[in-house]
Structures are given as structure tokens and as C-alpha cells.
Amino acid sequence: SDISTTVLVINYHTIIHVFLDILLTCPKIKMHSQINVYFHSTFGCTVWMNISVMCLFSLLNVCAVKFEDCQRGRDVSFISSDPNFSVRSDGTVYAGQNVANLSEPVQFMVTARGLHDQHIWETTVKLALPRVIKFPRRHLRFSSSNGLRRQKRDWVIPPINVPENSRGPFPHMLVRIRSDQDKDVGIRYSITGAGADQPPSGIYNIDPISGNMFVTQPLDREERASFHLRAHAVDMNGNQVENPIDLYIYVIDMNDNRPEFHNQVYNGSVAEGSKPGSSVMQVTATDSDDSTTANGMVRYRILSQTPHSPIPNMFTINSETGDIVTVAAGLDREKVSQYTIIVQATDMEGNLNFGLSNTATALISITDINDNPPELTVRTFSGEVPENKVNVVVTNLTVVDRDQPHSPNWNAVYRIVSGDPTGHFTIRTNPITNEGMLTVVKPVDFEMNRAFMLTVVVSNQAHLASGIQSSLQSTAGVTISVQDVNEPPVFPVNPKVIRFEEGVPAGTTLTVFAAQDPDHFIHQIVRYSKLSDPANWLKINRTNGQITTMALLDRESTYVKNNVYEATFLAFDNGSPQASGTGTLQIYLIDVNDNAPVLVPKEAQVCERARPNSKINITASDADADPNVGPFVFELPTFPVSVRRNWTISRLSGDYAQLRLRIPYLEADVYEFPIIVSDSGNPPLSNRSMIRVKVCPCDDNGDCSATGAVAAAGLGTGAIIAILICIIILLSMVLLFVVWMKRREKERQAKPLLIDPEDDVRDNILKYDEEGGGEEDQDYDLSQLQQPESLDHIINKPTGVRRVDERPVVAESQYPVRPSIPHPGDIGDFINDGLRAADNDPTAPPYDSLLVFDYEGSGSTTGSISSLNSTSSGDQDYDYLNDWGPRFKKLADLYGGGDDD
């Protein structure tokens, strides 16, 4: 027998209603199904009933119902409402008669009553006809063409319902799969699909022999709500006996999930003064349970409102949509700027006894409207301002506004409605403090207005809300006192323009440039001085401001721009503090004809042979202005006569003339001759200007050829001769310098051994008192001190540099014969002369070991010179060495007999 049961989880308060749809299909006997039924109690614990249903249809039908509460020790008694079914003390429900032929479901109540208290629990048991899921039977059907043919019956397999979160025990049997052919052959059953042999695998399995299908673990509808499996029947050889059948398993929802708000804190806003029914915001909560059942149907309500002003229930919420709206008037941002609402969401359609709940916070900000006009703090303001000052804040206008700070409803706008017709003042708003800063934008004059009486009005940047009247305190008066200050003198006409002809002599009075003191109520003296006079042409009288010239006014001066000469003067009073003003004098200089015209250009070029295009265009420039300039008159002078003989000039226009050759040929050269130019002034001025014309041979195009270019460059015969003379002089100087150097070299080589003391050769021999390269640095040839070499062993010596003190290594004669060399006495004389010079030289130390000589052999006729002494005899006075300074003090002590250090 197979039993399919559906278990519902029910919340109870005082009476428990449990509806059990039990599908009993039990053709034979005995089948046991155990179902856990949970009862959620409002007493803080869970009461659950373990119902064991046992059906014995051959003898009697019994359903065992086991009851346990959360205390696991409560004694109860059971009562059935149907006399055909009874409940024993252990909770077993049994049938009093055979009910195998039930034609419709049977329903009755089972009541559990506490023996020691008054608690009562009730449940409803509903029994229906049993079913078995079988493979569809096949039957034979005749056909005219094919004979007999098998055809399946069209059965609809009802879905299998399994409650989620079942406590077991597991595995728990769901249904039995059976084939009609199990009597004839051995059948093996199997199931396939997601939940069986496919992920998530292992949730369902089937006994291959009996066909009983089991669920192996608790199910979670929120994770997976349904399963689609296929049942298979094969024989012992694996051959398919029945076609697969589809099994649909639906997980029955239980209320095991609380509603969850999308946000824990919701932010909304509504304008102050809103009417009842104004929308504020919407909160939303979702429940993971089945939304088609009460488990997932969420309802909303407001738990609390903070603050309670003006009433505790200023808002309501739509229980189904979560929309929060206002229910009363009186929202005032200036009193309450924000409300905190605690919203609760409950499933089971809002049933507080059975449903699960959750809460969220809704923060409702009351937005500002301009329902408070600005109000000035006082009715009268006062201030003072010095005259002639701008951008000075006279006073600050303070205002009070209870609307949202730093918003258009709070920002103040000030206007001056009367008392300032000329626009001396304006009011700027301080964006931080909202104060009105009354500021001077146009200088005020104490002599014109000593005080001002202003009327100001303040309003908001945004318009007042409808129905709000402006306050009378938005208007105030402002009294402004003007302070007198020492004002600088003012030139009535500045700049002042006068007209004069240029050439005005020094000492001429041009005008009186006087200033006025605007301080009429104070008597002050004005004095003048010159501030700027670029050409130093003018001077001003210190007392009355009279302008006089100090030099000629020249329109053509570089200091004159567009015929105008400009100078500035200073006027200052004797006030305290002293004030000064500046005035500008512009002198427009009228031109007079004081500049003669000048020829332009002053150099030109023309071909040596007269040609139609061989001509020179000339004009003139004049520093004067019209009408003292052109048209100009050009003339050739009568002297020298060659000018008019060789050249002609003709007038092209008022300012231009043309110069050309009169004769057919003129030798190539540079010609310079005058041209007389006259302007059109009254009287006219003339100028004799020189023009330099280069005449050169030309090519066919009228351009100077290469030969002519040299002449055109100005290199005439005289110039070429001058260049050649310079070259010759330069070469002569170089030659003389070379000759002088040669002669100096010869004189140096021919100089005798005995020389003047100033050219003492000793300084060129050895200088031991200097740091240097020793004897190799010296320029003196020591060979002059050697005895001339005439012996063979010396002549045959290998070439190269020989030391002057080396001893010959070859044999030498005892008495060498030197018939061709001079007497060695001249060398001794040289040495003796050198010693005398050294002794008489006060600036030189003794040179007893001055020279190094060649080894002269054993037969030298001069003998040894190692014992040479000074030629002077007797004692010598060295006391004069003390006068030579500290550097010679030691020497003076040694030779002069001074005291030792």
C-alpha cells in the first residue's frame, strides 16, 4: 500500500487547525507513514504533534497520532468528533468499522486537552480514497490495415506534494511506483532527473525492487520549488518493460522566512503645510516565501512616530503598497524639521498572531516653504560716510528670517525705495549673515548734500507662499551723515586746449591755467607747480597759474605728437592734510614755413649712353605741414655750366620731377652736382641739395654691367691708388720688422764674452735661488768656458751631447801640443773679471763654486783653479749690508761682525 500525505505548518493562538490531506491508496494491508506537524505557540514554545497513520483495511483502519508539546512532559487526552473513528490514550486513531468502500473524503476533528491545565489543541484529519501510481496499461485495438496495435492509456499522473523543512525521519517514503507486469517478470525500478541522478543528486531515490520512492533530506522551497523526475521499469536483463512516466514533485511552502526591507533606513520628504493625503515616500519589503500564499503576503503598519508634535499620528501607511502619506495638517518645519517613523512588515497578510515581522526606519524631512517673511530688527538705522569716497559700507541692516538658512526662502533682497534719486547708494546682501550692507557707489559731496534719509524694503529671493502676508517690519529708515574732507583743487577745464603758431619766442604768455578749491566753507590758498614738461618749454606762475614760454615752440620737435604739445601742472592747497589736483594743458601748434625741402633721393644711377628708359625720378621731403610743403619746384643751377650742359630736369607732377642726360654719351664715373628745390610756403623756402649720380655702362636691359658695377661702387682711380699705397706700407712695415729681428739675432751672437754688468751672463748660467729645472733651464752655452778641443781622442768622440765635467776615457798625451788654439790665459782673464764684478756687486752673493769646467787633463798649463780667492786684499767693510733691509741682515752679521742671533 502507498500513502501520500501533505503536512501544513499552522500557527495557533487558542485553537490549532491542522488540515491533513491524506491520500491513502492501500489495496492490501499495512503501510506506515510518519508526519511531523508543528504548532507555533504564542506562549513562547513550539508544540508539535507526531502523527503516525496506519491503515488496516482488511480488518480495521487505524491512524496513530502521537502528541508532544515543547515541554516534553504534558499529559493530554484525545477526543474524536466522528464516532466511526476513535483516539486512544496514546494518541492512536482507529476506525471502528471497515471503511474500504469510502466514496468521498472523511473529515473529523481530534482534540487534545491538558489534564493538568486548561490548554486545548485541535486538529482536523481528512481521509480520502487511496491511489497507486502505476504505469499506464496497454490495450489492443483493431485496425483495418495493421491488425492489432497496442495503445497507451492517457493517464494524468497527479503531482506529489512534499512539505519543506521536514524533520524526518529520513529517508521518508513519498510514493510507490508499480507496473502491472510485475507478476509475470521481475521488474527493476529507477528514477532519473535533477534531484535523483543529476545535480542536485541524491535528494530522491527509489527501491529498485518494491518501487518505493523516498526523499532523503529536508527540502527548501526557496532554494528549489519543484522537481521533474522520470520513473523507469526494466526487466532483469535491462530491457524496457514500460515506457517512462513523468513525476512532478512540488515543495509545499512553510512560513519560514521573515519579510526583509530593501533598506534599513528610508529617507523621504514632504513640504511643510502639506494637506492631508500628501504622498511622502514608499517603503518596500519582500518575503522569500510563496507570494501566492499567506506565507509571502506582506502587510505594513506604523509602529511609532517621533516626535509626537503636533499629534502622534501625523502619517499613515498603505498596508499593501507601503506608501506613507500625511493624515493631518500642521506640518511646520520651523517647529519640527524631521520625523522618525518605525515601520513594521508582517507576512501571513499581517496576522500578528501567526505572521513573522520585521521593522525599518523611515526618516521624513519637512522641506521648507517661504512662509516666514524677513523682518528688519529695528525700524531706523544710521551711519556716516566721508565725501568723495566710494565702495565704503555705511551701515549693516540686520534681518531675521525663520525659514531654511541659505535657501531662496531665507536669502534677503534689499531695495532702496526713496531718498536717493541720484543713485549714490546700493545695498548688497552678505551671503553668510544675510545682512544688508549699505554701500556708497557714487561719491557724495558735502557741499551739495550734508545728509540723506533713505527708506529700504527687504524681501526674500523666493516669493512668499500663497496665503502668507508680508510683515510691516520689512521696511525701515536709514539716516546717513556726510563728513566734510579737504578736497583737492579742481581745474575747471581739464585738459585745456590752446592754439598757437610755432616759433613763439621765449617769455610769451600763453594762458592762465587756474584751479578752483571745491571746499567753499573753508578759505584755502591754492598754489601751482609744473609736473611734466617734456621739452622744458613752459613755466607756471606759482600764485595765479599763468603759463609762459621759456623757449621757442617748434612743431617739428619730437615731443610734439599730431601737432599737440602736452604738459601737466599741479595745483595744491594749504589744508590739513594737503590736497592736490592735476591739470593737463594741450598746446596745438600751428605750422609756419620754417623748414626748407630736402631732395629725395640723394643718390641715383644712370647709363652712360642716353636711352629712353635712362632717367631718374626725384622728389623732396619737407618737415612742415600743408600748405607749406608741395608742390615743389626743381631747378638746375647755372653754375657750374656743365650741369645744364649734361643734364636736364622736367616736372612730372606737383611733387615729382625727372632728371636725365642731355647729351648722348657721358663717361662712366660718379658725378655730384646741386639741384635747387623750393616749397609752396608763403614765402617759399628753397634749398640747394646735392645729388650724386653714378654713370655706368649698361647692358641691353638698361642695367649696369659688371665693369660698371665697380665704378658704381665708387672705386675710382684715386681710391684704387690709395688702397695700393696702404698695402705697400703694410708690407714695408713687415719687412722692416724682419730685418730688425735678424740684426738683433746677429748682435746677440757677436756679443763679446766680457759684457756690461747689467747684462751679466752669470744670471744666465745658474740660478740656485729659484725653483726650476736646474742647469737644463739655462740659456748659456758652457762651451765658451771650455778649452778648445783639438786632440784626436776628443775629435773622434761619438756625436751627441757631452757633459762638461766628464773625464775622457781614452789615453791622453802627457804634454799635449796645442799650436792652433789660443792661449788659455783669456779664459783666466774672463774668470778674474767675473770675480771682480761679483765682489763689487752688492746685490749678488759670492759665487766661489759658480762654474763647472771640463776636466783638462794632467798636462794643463793653467793649473788648478780650486783655490781661487777674491782679488781684493785686506779686510773689507760689510756694514753697509745692514742698510739693505731684513733680507740681508744675516749676511751682514756673518761678514760685518754683528751679533749672532
Side-chain angles (χ1 to χ4, degrees):
S1 63
D2 297 332
I3 298 178
S4 176
T5 62
T6 301
V7 181
L8 303 179
V9 176
I10 307 299
N11 295 311
Y12 85 92
H13 182 51
T14 55
I15 300 177
I16 303 173
H17 300 281
V18 180
F19 299 94
L20 301 176
D21 294 332
I22 303 176
L23 305 177
L24 300 176
T25 55
C26 190
K28 295 185 179 181
I29 61 173
K30 67 179 179 181
M31 179 62 204
H32 183 269
S33 178
Q34 194 173 46
I35 305 108
N36 294 329
V37 183
Y38 299 92
F39 304 89
H40 295 280
S41 172
T42 58
F43 300 106
C45 65
T46 300
V47 179
W48 61 278
M49 180 179 290
N50 191 331
I51 302 176
S52 297
V53 180
M54 182 177 296
C55 303
L56 302 175
F57 289 99
S58 60
L59 300 175
L60 73 166
N61 298 332
V62 177
C63 296
V65 179
K66 295 182 180 180
F67 175 84
E68 292 182 4
D69 65 351
C70 59
Q71 298 177 359
R72 302 283 182 176
R74 189 184 301 272
D75 294 332
V76 295
S77 63
F78 302 97
I79 300 175
S80 173
S81 63
D82 191 338
N84 296 323
F85 297 91
S86 301
V87 183
R88 295 172 182 168
S89 59
D90 60 355
T92 302
V93 180
Y94 62 94
Q97 59 183 356
N98 193 343
V99 292
N101 57 352
L102 291 176
S103 59
E104 59 183 12
V106 176
Q107 180 175 320
F108 58 92
M109 297 290 297
V110 176
T111 302
R113 183 186 300 274
L115 298 179
H116 305 290
D117 51 36
Q118 300 299 322
H119 292 109
I120 297 176
W121 296 269
E122 291 183 352
T123 184
T124 301
V125 179
K126 185 177 181 181
L127 303 178
L129 293 176
R131 292 182 184 177
V132 178
I133 298 179
K134 297 182 180 181
F135 287 93
R137 295 183 179 180
R138 298 176 176 86
H139 63 278
L140 298 178
R141 185 174 182 178
F142 292 96
S143 175
S144 60
S145 59
N146 299 327
L148 296 177
R149 184 180 62 180
R150 285 185 183 275
Q151 182 177 358
K152 290 184 179 180
R153 292 179 181 177
D154 294 331
W155 282 12
V156 177
I157 305 303
I160 302 171
N161 298 321
V162 180
E164 67 172 336
N165 302 323
S166 174
R167 290 192 175 185
F170 296 102
H172 176 69
M173 195 189 82
L174 298 179
V175 71
R176 180 185 177 189
I177 309 299
R178 180 171 173 270
S179 172
D180 292 339
Q181 302 186 36
D182 58 355
K183 298 178 181 180
D184 301 330
V185 295
I187 303 297
R188 292 293 181 268
Y189 301 98
S190 64
I191 56 175
T192 60
D197 60 344
Q198 299 177 13
S201 59
I203 297 178
Y204 302 98
N205 59 28
I206 190 171
D207 188 332
I209 299 176
S210 64
N212 296 332
M213 190 175 75
F214 300 90
V215 59
T216 63
Q217 62 189 38
L219 302 180
D220 187 357
R221 190 202 67 84
E222 287 72 41
E223 182 177 346
R224 189 179 183 106
S226 64
F227 297 88
H228 178 201
L229 304 178
R230 305 198 76 183
H232 306 271
V234 297
D235 59 14
M236 300 301 294
N237 297 324
N239 298 321
Q240 179 176 302
V241 177
E242 301 283 355
N243 289 331
I245 61 173
D246 294 321
L247 299 177
Y248 294 94
I249 302 174
Y250 294 102
V251 182
I252 300 175
D253 183 48
M254 295 178 64
N255 191 19
D256 58 345
N257 291 279
R258 293 178 179 274
E260 296 292 339
F261 283 95
H262 293 175
N263 301 308
Q264 280 302 310
V265 178
Y266 289 86
N267 292 286
S269 62
V270 62
E272 62 175 329
S274 296
K275 297 179 179 180
S278 300
S279 177
V280 178
M281 61 191 303
Q282 183 184 29
V283 296
T284 305
T286 56
D287 197 317
S288 299
D289 293 327
D290 189 358
S291 60
T292 61
T293 66
N295 297 335
M297 296 181 181
V298 179
R299 297 296 182 263
Y300 305 92
R301 72 189 187 102
I302 295 177
L303 295 182
S304 65
Q305 168 193 309
T306 306
H308 293 169
S309 176
I311 60 174
N313 299 318
M314 289 294 295
F315 306 94
T316 187
I317 187 170
N318 188 306
S319 62
E320 294 185 3
T321 63
D323 291 324
I324 299 177
V325 297
T326 60
V327 295
L331 293 175
D332 191 352
R333 189 205 64 85
E334 287 72 38
K335 295 180 179 179
V336 179
S337 61
Q338 188 180 69
Y339 289 91
T340 301
I341 304 297
I342 304 300
V343 180
Q344 183 185 55
T346 306
D347 57 14
M348 297 298 293
E349 296 183 283
N351 191 317
L352 299 178
N353 297 323
F354 308 139
L356 302 177
S357 301
N358 214 335
T359 60
T361 302
L363 301 178
I364 303 176
S365 299
I366 309 303
T367 59
D368 184 51
I369 64 172
N370 193 10
D371 57 345
N372 294 281
E375 298 178 357
L376 292 164
T377 56
V378 295
R379 299 302 300 272
T380 303
F381 295 89
S382 61
E384 58 183 18
V385 59
E387 63 174 335
N388 300 323
K389 296 290 184 179
V390 294
N391 296 325
V392 176
V393 177
V394 180
T395 185
N396 288 328
L397 310 178
T398 55
V399 71
V400 175
D401 196 323
R402 293 182 296 169
D403 289 322
Q404 179 69 40
H406 308 291
S407 68
N409 299 329
W410 178 81
N411 295 335
V413 179
Y414 300 86
R415 293 181 295 112
I416 300 175
V417 295
S418 64
D420 185 23
T422 55
H424 289 281
F425 304 94
T426 188
I427 304 178
R428 300 185 178 97
T429 303
N430 188 323
I432 299 176
T433 63
N434 213 24
E435 294 180 348
M437 300 179 292
L438 183 62
T439 309
V440 181
V441 294
K442 183 178 179 181
V444 294
D445 190 355
F446 176 81
E447 287 71 27
M448 298 293 295
N449 299 96
R450 298 189 180 185
F452 292 86
M453 296 293 296
L454 308 181
T455 302
V456 297
V457 175
V458 62
S459 59
N460 285 128
Q461 183 178 348
H463 295 291
L464 286 174
S466 60
I468 306 298
Q469 300 295 327
S470 178
S471 172
L472 295 177
Q473 294 184 358
S474 60
T475 303
V478 182
T479 302
I480 302 175
S481 300
V482 181
Q483 297 176 342
D484 187 22
V485 297
N486 185 23
E487 300 178 72
V490 177
F491 291 91
V493 180
N494 191 14
K496 184 175 183 179
V497 180
I498 60 175
R499 297 172 64 90
F500 273 89
E501 287 188 351
E502 64 173 328
V504 173
T508 303
T509 300
L510 299 181
T511 186
V512 175
F513 197 24
Q516 298 176 358
D517 192 348
D519 295 317
H520 302 304
F521 300 98
I522 304 175
H523 180 68
Q524 298 180 137
I525 300 174
V526 179
R527 293 291 182 262
Y528 303 91
S529 65
K530 186 168 62 173
L531 189 62
S532 173
D533 184 11
N536 199 23
W537 287 344
L538 308 175
K539 66 179 180 178
I540 186 170
N541 188 291
R542 179 177 176 82
T543 303
N544 57 15
Q546 179 176 301
I547 307 296
T548 308
T549 61
M550 296 190 302
L552 290 176
L553 305 183
D554 185 7
R555 191 197 68 86
E556 289 74 35
S557 172
T558 57
Y559 300 105
V560 177
K561 307 297 182 184
N562 298 325
N563 300 330
V564 176
Y565 179 76
E566 189 171 276
T568 56
F569 299 92
L570 189 68
F572 52 91
D573 58 22
N574 60 345
S576 179
Q578 189 181 68
S580 61
T582 302
T584 301
L585 179 65
Q586 294 179 346
I587 305 174
Y588 185 89
L589 297 177
I590 302 171
D591 183 47
V592 297
N593 194 15
D594 56 348
N595 292 278
V598 179
L599 186 66
V600 178
K602 293 186 177 182
E603 292 185 359
Q605 180 178 291
V606 71
C607 296
E608 61 184 357
R609 297 185 182 276
R611 297 186 180 186
N613 59 350
S614 181
K615 54 190 176 181
I616 302 171
N617 292 331
I618 59 176
T619 184
S621 65
D622 197 326
D624 293 324
D626 190 63
N628 297 321
V629 289
F632 300 104
V633 177
F634 301 90
E635 297 177 295
L636 292 176
T638 58
F639 183 84
V641 295
S642 59
V643 176
R644 291 198 174 187
R645 183 177 66 246
N646 298 336
W647 304 92
T648 180
I649 190 170
S650 59
R651 184 172 182 178
L652 294 179
S653 64
D655 295 331
Y656 292 91
Q658 195 172 82
L659 181 68
R660 65 177 62 195
L661 281 174
R662 180 185 292 272
I663 60 178
Y665 175 79
L666 184 63
E667 184 180 357
D669 202 349
V670 178
Y671 299 88
E672 191 172 358
F673 53 89
I675 295 178
I676 300 173
V677 184
S678 303
D679 58 19
S680 298
N682 186 18
L685 294 180
S686 299
N687 185 20
R688 187 182 178 92
S689 298
M690 301 299 294
I691 185 170
R692 189 182 185 201
V693 180
K694 302 172 185 177
V695 179
C696 60
C698 298
D699 55 16
D700 296 338
N701 297 326
D703 298 328
C704 282
S705 60
T707 304
V710 177
L715 296 178
T717 304
I720 295 175
I721 293 173
I723 294 174
L724 292 176
I725 292 174
C726 292
I727 295 174
I728 292 172
I729 293 173
L730 182 61
L731 293 176
S732 300
M733 293 177 64
V734 173
L735 182 60
L736 289 174
F737 179 76
V738 173
V739 172
W740 180 77
M741 291 297 294
K742 293 286 187 180
R743 182 175 299 175
R744 181 179 176 85
E745 182 67 20
K746 289 180 180 180
E747 291 177 355
R748 188 179 67 81
Q749 295 178 358
K751 184 180 294 185
L753 287 175
L754 299 178
I755 57 176
D756 295 334
E758 58 268 16
D759 295 329
D760 193 352
V761 75
R762 289 176 300 148
D763 290 342
N764 296 326
I765 298 175
L766 294 175
K767 297 177 69 176
Y768 290 100
D769 59 342
E770 292 183 2
E771 294 182 349
E775 294 181 358
E776 289 128 6
D777 281 353
Q778 308 308 313
D779 203 13
Y780 184 74
D781 187 6
L782 294 178
S783 61
Q784 298 183 27
L785 300 179
Q786 300 172 3
Q787 182 176 344
E789 301 173 352
S790 59
L791 300 179
D792 294 338
H793 71 278
I794 299 177
I795 296 174
N796 296 328
K797 186 177 181 180
T799 60
V801 179
R802 184 171 63 89
R803 290 176 54 186
V804 298
D805 58 348
E806 69 179 347
R807 183 184 183 87
V809 296
V810 297
E812 54 182 294
S813 59
Q814 185 68 24
Y815 300 100
V817 180
R818 302 174 183 173
S820 60
I821 60 175
H823 192 274
D826 55 350
I827 297 178
D829 295 339
F830 167 74
I831 294 174
N832 293 329
D833 293 339
L835 289 174
R836 284 193 299 270
D839 291 338
N840 296 326
D841 187 3
T843 62
Y847 290 93
D848 289 347
S849 303
L850 181 62
L851 302 176
V852 178
F853 301 96
D854 268 352
Y855 183 79
E856 298 186 12
S858 59
S860 174
T861 58
T862 60
S864 175
I865 61 174
S866 61
S867 60
L868 289 177
N869 294 322
S870 174
T871 56
S872 60
S873 60
D875 295 334
Q876 186 176 352
D877 186 10
Y878 293 98
D879 292 338
Y880 63 90
L881 295 175
N882 293 320
D883 300 333
W884 290 2
R887 298 178 60 183
F888 296 91
K889 185 177 183 303
K890 188 68 175 178
L891 189 62
D893 294 340
L894 292 175
Y895 291 91
D899 297 335
D900 295 337
D901 292 338

